Amino acid sequence: MGYLSGLFRWRKVVSKEYQSFDDYPVCTDENLWTEYTSRYAVFKIWSPVAEEVRLNIYDRGHGDDLTESFLLDQKENGLWKIKLRGDYKGIYYTFSVKYKGRFLDETPGIYATAVGVNGHRAMIIDLEDTNPEGWHNQSRPKLNSFNDIVLYELHVRDMTIDPKSGSSFPGKYIGLIETGTKNKEGHCTGIDHIKALGVTHVHLLPVFDYFMVDEAALHNPQFNWGYDPHNYNTPEGSYSTDPFNAEVRIKEFKQMVMGFHKNGIRVIMDVVFNHTYLTENSLFNREVPGYYYRQAKDGGWSNASGCGNETASERAMMRKYIIESCKFWATEYKIDGFRFDLMGVHDIETLNLLSEELKKIDPTIFVYGEGWTGGSSPLPEALRAMKANTLKLTDIAAFSDDMRDGVKGNVFDNKSTGFVSGAKGLEETIKFGVVGSTYHPGIDYKKCKYSKKHWAPKPSQAIGYVSCHDNNTLYDKLIISRPDAPLADIRKMHRLANAIVLTSQSVPFLHAGVEMMRTKYGEHNTYNLPDDINRIEWNWKTQNHDIFDYYRALIALRKNHPAFRMPTSEMMGEKLRFFHLNDGGAVAYQVSENANGDPWKNIIVVYNANPKSLHFALPEGVWRVAVKDAWIVPEGIEDVSGNISVPPISMMVLFQ
Ligand code: CA
């Protein structure tokens, strides 16, 4: 077959004029993924405005080696298609869409599942070839309920790029699952560390193919968080050992997922459908100019992402795209959940349809997101998947910025402090966090920091957290907002902050490294800063082993005690009661009657954020202390009754 061999086929050239994007014919039921068998391959693209679509075939993922070119056939509803006979495995390809008389830049196709270096060209592969041995027999680790989840937010490169991690594959997918690695002092690192900590899920910062790291120049250290999407359905190349070969990143990504699964840890992907890195010349715009994005009143790109554009999930083919993409990752890669970046940019209906579709694959796939936008949007607020609309979302959770800022201060204001760092009047906000942002009769919502009413229908629809990749680390925030505080107090505040998160009924979320007092040296927006700011330094584990031990024991306490994981607002209303305290800077509550099947009959939790001891009058009877100051002893430290003293800036847990 020669160059442009398909060109002379008869075709109908149609000039298309539509009044609006809503008039475009759609093919929502069409399978748009490239199909491969050893006998033929089928290439498809949806572009109702295309005048012609050309398929370009290459030997490699880069360079000037076009070997063949074909024109696709125009089908119904904007679909273009070509079936090529023969075995095309291993070839690279792109599409060129002719629009208003000229060919737009080549696109690998937004449904590309394998791409070469820097994601310029797609590759025909047999995905079956990319499966590690035993892939089909492995299963997702057991998860009974979303309430049991403990999230750990991780960047692939951060975890192993420090030489002190002892990793053989620093910064790579397969580095994340290497067992037996240790720091100089002999403390375990990498996946052994994550496993020892006891979290149930790792949440990976973007691992789909993003734009800004040059995969062809990995000899130069480069860092990016990855919120700059390019190809949504293929792994990022810079975390693979060979980004030039499209198969390698897929194989290694699957090895990573399988490695986590084998160690009992589920894997969540951070997905960034709200915008694309490129705007005018994005892959979406090279296929159907304008369609996949929302427009501002002046006709320009609207920008609810704050990144130059925002996608239009309410349009049929964008909605289909988001749903198909997540389904693809959940099946082909056995991904266990999705964290939606700027979820508020998307419409509620799309997210609910997605939730429904994912449940058909596996009802334990977890979906959550940032219930806000990064700017104004033409999508009406009532339709947005915002935190305030979580009551309309089906089993989809939103991050609680109420808890985040209530516990340790506003992330946008350096001076701002929170409950643990000495701010006054945040007791109701902390209580709101305890009940997972749901309704509870013991809370005066008018006194809460941001939300003035409950927004989560059940506690598993709220993500409880105090820090994440954005903004300062917890340690840095405490240091910056409390320059006067001695380090010993900072450590106590640090412990208390996540003690609140891990005993609250929402789904707890930890920023990787917080369990060893991670610092980013005061930098807050580190998305493209060097490794030496972003990496986890493994000497921290040795220096702060007491903090690690505390976190690990807290996670174990949560996992062993269903009373901290009640499924409904009704159950909390019945079993959880807040104490009235005369002192500010403290919150106390009791969970009673073996709540949610807990082995402990009654549990009392006291958070004392004051720099002095808190006097607390216990209810009748003898109580056993399980957590006091830095100590967590599940079988109990001592028995107490009557008036007790809760140490400064600490959590106390007692039980009967
Ligand atoms: Ca990339």
Side-chain angles (χ1 to χ4, degrees):
M1 286 170 283
Y3 176 59
L4 290 183
S5 57
L7 188 63
F8 305 105
R9 227 174 285 176
W10 178 85
R11 67 191 48 261
K12 177 177 64 171
V13 177
V14 189
S15 124
K16 292 128 185 148
E17 291 295 335
Y18 300 106
Q19 293 305 307
S20 79
F21 292 123
D22 295 327
D23 293 342
Y24 284 14
V26 295
C27 49
T28 47
D29 294 331
E30 192 71 39
N31 168 9
L32 292 175
W33 302 96
T34 302
E35 292 169 50
Y36 165 78
T37 76
S38 58
R39 290 170 291 113
Y40 63 85
V42 186
F43 301 83
K44 287 159 280 186
I45 189 169
W46 175 74
S47 185
V49 293
E51 289 140 20
E52 278 184 358
V53 180
R54 201 169 66 199
L55 173 71
N56 312 297
I57 304 261
Y58 299 90
D59 285 336
R60 294 182 300 159
H62 61 290
D64 300 320
D65 53 355
L66 182 72
T67 55
E68 289 181 274
S69 193
F70 302 89
L71 285 174
L72 275 72
D73 298 317
Q74 189 175 14
K75 305 288 180 188
E76 298 284 289
N77 297 324
L79 181 68
W80 299 76
K81 191 170 174 177
I82 189 168
K83 182 173 181 175
L84 298 182
R85 301 209 174 271
D87 191 347
Y88 277 83
K89 187 153 86 176
I91 65 107
Y92 286 85
Y93 67 93
T94 64
F95 298 103
S96 301
V97 169
K98 191 175 184 183
Y99 174 66
K100 295 189 174 171
R102 70 174 183 99
F103 277 105
L104 304 176
D105 282 356
E106 292 170 52
T107 164
I110 60 172
Y111 283 87
T113 56
V115 294
V117 68
N118 287 324
H120 296 314
R121 294 176 188 163
M123 191 202 205
I124 289 284
I125 61 168
D126 183 349
L127 283 166
E128 192 63 34
D129 295 344
T130 64
N131 295 335
E133 210 183 315
W135 177 252
H136 289 301
N137 300 326
Q138 59 132 354
S139 50
R140 303 171 193 276
K142 194 171 159 56
L143 181 71
N144 290 327
S145 139
F146 292 146
N147 301 78
D148 299 350
I149 294 172
V150 182
L151 300 166
Y152 188 71
E153 188 206 36
L154 184 65
H155 185 279
V156 174
R157 189 173 172 91
D158 288 355
M159 199 65 185
T160 55
I161 202 69
D162 176 14
K164 295 188 288 293
S165 70
S167 175
S168 316
F169 308 100
K172 302 299 180 190
Y173 295 123
I174 54 173
L176 271 189
I177 51 154
E178 185 185 8
T179 55
T181 59
K182 289 184 168 39
N183 71 1
K184 207 166 73 227
E185 293 79 14
H187 290 122
C188 63
T189 66
I191 192 171
D192 289 349
H193 168 82
I194 300 171
K195 197 177 170 185
L197 184 61
V199 297
T200 62
H201 290 57
V202 292
H203 149 163
L204 300 174
L205 260 69
V207 284
F208 53 78
D209 179 36
Y210 59 76
F211 196 87
M212 274 192 279
V213 166
D214 182 359
E215 299 173 5
L218 295 180
H219 48 279
N220 300 324
Q222 300 172 74
F223 179 90
N224 210 286
W225 279 343
Y227 295 92
D228 48 327
H230 193 45
N231 286 286
Y232 284 100
N233 300 309
T234 170
E236 161 61 15
S238 62
Y239 304 138
S240 77
T241 58
D242 180 7
F244 289 89
N245 181 339
E247 251 184 33
V248 173
R249 62 180 77 182
I250 300 175
K251 279 185 182 161
E252 293 178 348
F253 193 109
K254 286 180 172 175
Q255 282 174 11
M256 172 188 70
V257 173
M258 195 161 148
F260 276 119
H261 282 177
K262 275 187 172 169
N263 281 281
I265 299 163
R266 288 185 167 223
V267 181
I268 287 173
M269 274 178 76
D270 194 333
V271 287
V272 189
F273 290 107
N274 63 78
H275 77 281
T276 52
Y277 176 70
L278 299 172
T279 301
E280 289 291 343
N281 199 28
S282 73
L283 303 186
F284 286 139
N285 279 336
R286 293 181 206 179
E287 300 186 13
V288 193
Y291 175 86
Y292 292 98
Y293 301 93
R294 294 190 189 124
Q295 280 73 25
K297 280 208 178 76
D298 65 2
W301 308 104
S302 58
N303 186 20
S305 70
C307 298
N309 61 68
E310 67 178 280
T311 56
S313 57
E314 70 281 12
R315 286 189 196 138
M317 294 302 280
M318 185 63 204
R319 174 174 288 166
K320 170 186 169 73
Y321 187 67
I322 293 173
I323 294 172
E324 294 254 333
S325 179
C326 293
K327 282 169 66 179
F328 173 72
W329 287 102
T331 48
E332 185 62 35
Y333 288 89
K334 300 184 195 282
I335 288 293
D336 304 296
F338 299 92
R339 174 267 189 198
F340 273 74
D341 188 60
L342 298 181
M343 185 168 70
V345 172
H346 303 307
D347 68 301
I348 293 168
E349 193 179 340
T350 298
L351 268 292
N352 281 343
L353 286 168
L354 171 70
S355 177
E356 203 177 295
E357 287 297 313
L358 291 175
K359 274 183 205 299
K360 290 179 196 163
I361 295 167
D362 189 312
T364 64
I365 294 174
F366 188 48
V367 180
Y368 56 107
E370 293 181 309
W372 47 78
T373 64
S376 61
S377 173
L379 185 72
E381 281 200 27
L383 304 183
R384 295 183 203 167
M386 305 279 285
K387 181 182 77 170
N389 291 331
T390 307
L391 294 166
K392 298 181 200 164
L393 291 168
T394 317
D395 281 327
I396 297 173
F399 282 94
S400 171
D401 54 344
D402 310 80
M403 178 188 264
R404 181 193 69 196
D405 290 2
V407 169
K408 60 101 161 82
N410 185 317
V411 293
F412 301 113
D413 175 2
N414 276 349
K415 289 203 180 74
S416 171
T417 52
F419 177 78
V420 302
S421 43
K424 302 290 172 219
L426 289 165
E427 297 77 14
E428 297 304 307
T429 305
I430 299 303
K431 288 160 70 177
F432 184 38
V434 167
V435 299
S437 306
T438 62
Y439 173 74
H440 189 280
I443 296 171
D444 183 350
Y445 289 83
K446 290 191 297 295
K447 292 182 183 162
C448 289
K449 190 176 170 82
Y450 299 145
S451 306
K452 301 299 176 194
K453 59 179 188 183
H454 76 283
W455 51 262
K458 52 185 186 289
S460 61
Q461 285 187 249
I463 305 295
Y465 77 124
V466 292
S467 62
C468 67
H469 69 279
D470 272 320
N471 314 120
N472 286 123
T473 68
L474 175 59
Y475 174 81
D476 290 349
K477 172 65 177 170
L478 294 170
I479 293 275
I480 291 166
S481 61
R482 284 294 310 273
D484 59 305
L487 187 59
D489 282 0
I490 296 285
R491 294 174 81 85
K492 288 179 186 175
M493 294 172 195
H494 198 283
R495 272 203 309 260
L496 178 58
N498 274 317
I500 295 171
V501 169
L502 286 162
T503 46
S504 288
Q505 305 279 334
S506 43
V507 173
F509 170 106
L510 301 174
H511 178 219
V514 72
E515 72 283 7
M516 36 185 157
M517 308 262 278
R518 182 177 186 173
T519 177
K520 291 199 279 183
Y521 302 96
E523 297 287 349
H524 64 97
N525 188 9
T526 64
Y527 79 99
N528 64 353
L529 295 184
D531 289 329
D532 57 9
I533 301 292
N534 278 296
R535 69 188 173 193
I536 289 174
E537 297 179 37
W538 285 97
N539 51 313
W540 297 338
K541 185 165 181 193
T542 306
Q543 286 159 6
N544 302 304
H545 211 275
D546 57 325
I547 300 281
F548 171 73
D549 285 338
Y550 186 79
Y551 274 73
R552 181 172 60 174
L554 263 183
I555 292 169
L557 181 79
R558 181 180 186 89
K559 284 167 124 178
N560 292 330
H561 290 281
F564 296 112
R565 298 178 271 118
M566 284 187 265
T568 63
S569 167
E570 291 72 26
M571 191 186 284
M572 287 186 285
E574 208 178 295
K575 307 282 189 186
L576 190 153
R577 171 178 80 85
F578 290 102
F579 290 98
H580 174 76
L581 302 177
N582 292 322
D583 298 279
V587 166
Y589 58 95
Q590 179 171 334
V591 186
S592 307
E593 299 160 16
N594 306 93
N596 199 26
D598 204 282
W600 288 345
K601 184 160 188 284
N602 299 311
I603 304 173
I604 289 175
V605 179
V606 188
Y607 310 129
N608 176 25
N610 293 293
K612 58 179 175 37
S613 294
L614 175 84
H615 298 289
F616 182 76
L618 284 170
E620 196 101 332
V622 175
W623 293 79
R624 201 151 177 78
V625 178
V627 181
K628 184 178 183 181
D629 214 357
W631 297 100
I632 302 180
V633 182
E635 55 277 19
I637 299 165
E638 58 184 340
D639 287 334
V640 293
S641 58
N643 288 315
I644 59 163
S645 171
V646 180
I649 320 176
S650 75
M651 174 177 79
M652 198 161 183
V653 177
L654 310 96
F655 67 92
Q656 289 182 321

